[in-house]
């Protein structure tokens, strides 16, 4: 059974859809200490619970798709010439045009009436003068009325067009929100489906015959040279030393490494912006840590001996200021079928400074460890030994479910809250 990768799966699932997992996984919300919990199966969601989570995610996604379709139809309706507000705006524009033409006619009538008055001869009778004056006054009154009518029609156009455009903007905004909701729901659904598929794969592999594995605290993994602050857009090299502190040779030792990062809030995962690479002491070629989070096996690692692995952490320039943690551990397999690993998963915490920051000289990242209850490991675990010495080819792993799941459960609520509380520094490398 692939055990330590469950940590990565649990963290990723918790970051992408914490509310969904918490709604169907009471074990993650259990406030009882791990040492008091006898049922170790509660440390991770069961296949049934993951199936429920996947089904719930699908319902949310289907609803989001339907809502997006409705929002799109609503926007198309507001853009139609037959929409009531569009019809009203067009009618107002027509009325305004007619009012403008009427004002032009009325203004011309004033000009014509004034011309008649100006053209009266000296021999014009009083009746002729009075008639011309009356016609001019009436023309001026008509022009004033036409002016007021045009102003009212113009105001009506502004009001009608604003109402039409406001409706269209609101509909477009609703469509944008619906599209965003669909995208997020699809991401949640994908994460739920992948978590379910992963769990089923683990279950199938865990069902194969194999020897019981045991915790071995003397198989240690230590990181040196990883700075406590890493600037976005840079890469840092450090060392991972794996030491066999026992008095017996370990035929194959599998180093494990996993990096997790969030923004400053600790709620938004930025895992896709941080990358781990490694190379052996005898090779200068860098390899990306695979999706199982293991590196090639060390074969063998003699009693009291150690092996150094060159590591590189790359942070994309687009990564926001935030927090990071690099987990390391080691598992072993022997030709006689015995196997195990260190029950303490070390996490080296570091800050991510915004691109262009100059943090100056910083200390090395300090380790913390998870210490799950391992009193019943043999009864809880089983494993399949890799068929070759290359993890990249076999995907093999150890069988300490308490180890990975305790870490995964600890990080499940909020993704980065485990180290955020201890690492929050007001204004650090903004």
């Amino acid at each position: 059974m692939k055990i330590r990768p469950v940590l990565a799966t649990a963290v990723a699932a918790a970051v992408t859809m914490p509310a969904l997992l918490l709604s169907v996984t009471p074990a993650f919300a259990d406030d009882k200490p791990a040492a008091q919990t006898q049922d170790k199966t509660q440390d991770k969601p069961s296949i049934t619970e993951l199936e429920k989570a996947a089904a719930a995610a699908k319902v949310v996604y289907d609803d989001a798709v339907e809502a997006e379709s409705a929002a799109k139809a609503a926007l198309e309706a507001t853009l139609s010439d037959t929409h009531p507000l569009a019809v009203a705006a067009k009618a107002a524009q027509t009325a305004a045009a007619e009012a403008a033409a009427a004002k032009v006619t009325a203004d011309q009538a004033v000009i014509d009436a004034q011309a008649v008055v100006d053209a009266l001869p000296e021999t014009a009778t009083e009746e002729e003068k009075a008639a011309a004056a009356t016609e001019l006054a009436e023309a001026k009154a008509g022009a004033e009325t036409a002016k007021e009518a045009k102003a009212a029609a113009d105001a009506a156009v502004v009001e009608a067009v604003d109402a039409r455009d406001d409706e269209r903007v609101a509909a477009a905004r609703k469509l944008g929100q619906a599209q965003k909701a669909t995208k997020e729901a699809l991401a949640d659904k994908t994460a739920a489906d992948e978590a379910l598929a992963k769990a089923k794969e683990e279950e199938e592999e865990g069902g194969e015959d194999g020897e019981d594995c045991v915790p071995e605290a003397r198989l240690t993994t230590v990181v040196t040279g990883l700075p406590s602050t890493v600037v976005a857009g840079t890469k840092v090299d450090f060392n991972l030393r794996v030491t066999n502190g026992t008095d017996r040779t370990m035929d194959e030792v599998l180093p494990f490494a996993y990096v997790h990062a969030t923004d400053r809030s600790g709620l938004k995962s930025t895992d896709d912006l941080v990358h781990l690479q490694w190379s052996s002491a005898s090779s200068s070629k860098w390899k990306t840590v695979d999706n199982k989070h293991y590196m090639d096996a060390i074969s063998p690692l003699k009693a009291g001996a150690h092996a150094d692995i060159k590591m590189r952490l790359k942070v994309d320039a687009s990564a926001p200021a935030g927090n990071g943690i690099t987990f390391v551990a080691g598992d072993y397999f022997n030709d006689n079928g015995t196997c195990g690993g260190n029950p303490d998963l070390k996490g080296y915490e570091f800050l991510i400074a915004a691109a262009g920051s100059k943090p100056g000289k910083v200390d090395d990242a300090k380790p913390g460890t998870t210490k799950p209850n391992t009193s019943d490991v043999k009864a809880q675990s089983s494993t399949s030994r890799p068929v070759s010495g290359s993890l990249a080819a076999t995907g093999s792993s150890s069988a300490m479910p308490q180890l990975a799941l305790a870490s995964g459960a600890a990080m499940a609520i909020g993704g980065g809250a485990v180290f955020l509380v201890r690492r929050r520094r007001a204004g650090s490398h903004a």
Side-chain angles (χ1 to χ4, degrees):
M1 180 178 181
K2 298 175 182 176
I3 298 303
R4 294 195 198 274
V6 175
L7 167 65
T9 301
V11 172
V15 170
T16 55
M17 52 171 188
L20 184 58
L21 282 181
L22 287 172
S23 69
V24 298
T25 312
F28 279 159
D30 191 356
D31 58 1
K32 296 180 180 179
Q36 298 177 7
T37 303
Q38 297 302 316
D39 184 3
K40 301 298 189 297
T41 60
Q42 291 184 0
D43 288 342
K44 70 173 182 178
S46 65
I47 295 294
T48 299
E49 289 171 331
L50 289 174
E51 287 175 339
K52 290 180 179 179
K58 184 179 185 303
V59 170
V60 172
Y61 172 68
D62 290 343
D63 289 345
V65 170
E66 184 176 348
E68 180 182 342
S69 178
K72 183 177 181 181
L75 175 60
E76 291 175 348
T78 64
L79 296 175
S80 171
D81 291 338
T82 60
H83 188 275
L85 291 178
V87 172
K90 186 174 182 179
Q93 289 169 334
T94 299
E98 293 174 351
K103 182 177 181 302
V104 170
T105 300
D107 290 343
Q108 186 61 48
V110 172
I111 294 173
D112 293 344
Q114 184 65 54
V116 170
V117 171
D118 294 342
L120 286 173
E122 294 181 358
T123 58
T125 66
E126 292 299 323
E127 289 80 2
E128 292 174 333
K129 293 179 180 179
T134 299
E135 187 166 343
L136 176 59
E138 291 176 349
K140 288 182 177 181
E144 185 63 27
T145 299
K147 178 181 178 182
E148 294 174 353
K150 181 180 182 300
D154 289 343
V157 169
V158 172
E159 182 178 355
V161 170
D162 284 349
R164 180 201 65 190
D165 291 347
D166 286 348
E167 184 78 3
R168 289 175 176 178
V169 169
R173 184 179 295 113
K174 287 182 179 179
L175 176 58
Q177 293 170 342
Q179 290 172 331
K180 180 180 179 181
T182 300
K183 182 179 180 180
E184 292 174 349
L186 177 59
D188 289 349
K189 177 180 177 296
T190 300
D193 291 342
E194 289 177 351
L196 175 59
K198 180 68 174 178
K200 288 182 176 180
E201 178 185 352
E202 299 289 349
E203 184 178 55
E204 291 175 1
E205 294 179 355
E208 299 174 4
D209 293 335
E211 297 293 333
D212 290 335
C213 291
V214 296
E216 179 50 79
R218 291 174 293 177
L219 175 60
T220 59
T221 49
V222 177
V223 164
T224 56
L226 175 63
S228 57
T229 297
V230 181
V231 178
T234 67
K235 57 188 176 184
V236 295
D237 294 345
F238 58 98
N239 185 71
L240 171 62
R241 171 164 291 189
V242 183
T243 302
N244 177 7
T246 71
D247 57 1
R248 63 190 184 280
T249 294
M250 295 178 177
D251 295 324
E252 289 183 349
V253 174
L254 303 178
F256 170 92
Y258 172 69
V259 64
H260 174 58
T262 72
D263 62 1
R264 282 180 171 175
S265 72
L267 302 178
K268 180 180 179 181
S269 171
T270 56
D271 283 1
D272 58 333
L273 303 178
V274 293
H275 316 279
L276 271 181
Q277 293 181 310
W278 69 279
S279 68
S280 64
S282 60
S283 172
S284 60
K285 182 178 180 180
W286 289 99
K287 304 177 184 178
T288 300
V289 176
D290 66 20
N291 58 4
K292 305 298 183 183
H293 310 290
Y294 281 97
M295 289 155 276
D296 287 351
I298 303 166
S299 304
L301 188 59
K302 295 183 178 180
H306 67 261
D308 289 326
I309 302 171
K310 293 181 290 185
M311 303 292 297
R312 173 171 287 176
L313 173 65
K314 299 171 65 178
V315 181
D316 291 354
S318 58
N323 310 274
I325 185 166
T326 297
F327 293 102
V328 294
D331 301 329
Y332 74 88
F333 290 86
N334 291 327
D335 293 340
N336 63 5
T338 58
C339 55
N342 194 311
D344 292 338
L345 186 68
K346 288 187 178 179
Y348 288 79
E349 304 164 7
F350 58 90
L351 294 176
I352 297 176
S357 300
K358 298 184 181 300
K361 184 177 180 180
V362 297
D363 296 331
D364 284 354
K366 304 300 182 183
T369 58
T370 64
K371 296 183 178 181
N373 185 343
T374 57
S375 60
D376 193 26
V377 173
K378 287 179 68 66
Q380 295 288 333
S381 61
S382 63
T383 186
S384 298
R385 188 180 182 282
V387 296
S388 74
S390 172
L391 179 73
T394 64
S396 302
S397 66
S398 77
M400 250 64 66
Q402 294 88 341
L403 176 63
L405 293 176
S407 301
M411 295 185 67
I413 303 175
V418 170
F419 57 88
L420 174 63
V421 174
R422 298 199 299 271
R423 296 306 299 270
R424 187 183 298 276
R425 300 177 183 173
S428 293
H429 311 306

